[in-house]
Amino acid sequence: MNKIHHKHIVWIKPLLLSCIMTSFISYINTLEHNNRDIIFWLKDWGKSWIFAYPVLLICLPLIEKFLARITR
C-alpha cells in the first residue's frame, strides 16, 4: 500500500479530526431531538462539518505554534 506524502498532513489531519468530531456531536444532537433518522443526522453532520473543517484548518497551525513556544 502506498503511503501519503507527509506534506499532505496539513489538510488531512484537520479533515479527519473534523469528520470524527462533527459526526459524534451531530449524532448526540440528533438523539437529543429524539430523532433517529439517518437523513436528519447526515444533514446535521454536513452543516457542522462545513464550519468545523475551515476552523480546524485555521486553528490547528496556530495552536501547534503556540504549543511549540510554551513547551520544551
Side-chain angles (χ1 to χ4, degrees):
M1 183 170 140
N2 292 334
K3 291 187 176 183
I4 298 170
H5 196 272
H6 67 87
K7 70 179 181 180
H8 298 295
I9 289 175
V10 172
W11 64 269
I12 292 174
K13 182 173 31 172
L15 176 67
L16 294 175
L17 285 171
S18 65
C19 287
I20 293 166
M21 178 183 63
T22 56
S23 66
F24 279 107
I25 292 170
S26 62
Y27 183 70
I28 291 167
N29 287 337
T30 302
L31 291 178
E32 282 183 351
H33 290 104
N34 294 324
N35 192 343
R36 301 202 188 310
D37 184 18
I38 189 76
I39 301 301
F40 182 83
W41 174 74
L42 284 172
K43 286 180 183 178
D44 196 30
W45 174 77
K47 290 177 199 173
S48 302
W49 183 80
I50 286 173
F51 290 99
Y53 184 57
V55 168
L56 283 173
L57 279 174
I58 294 166
C59 291
L60 273 177
L62 298 174
I63 291 169
E64 289 170 354
K65 287 178 186 178
F66 172 72
L67 291 175
R69 294 178 106 189
I70 65 168
T71 59
R72 293 185 215 184

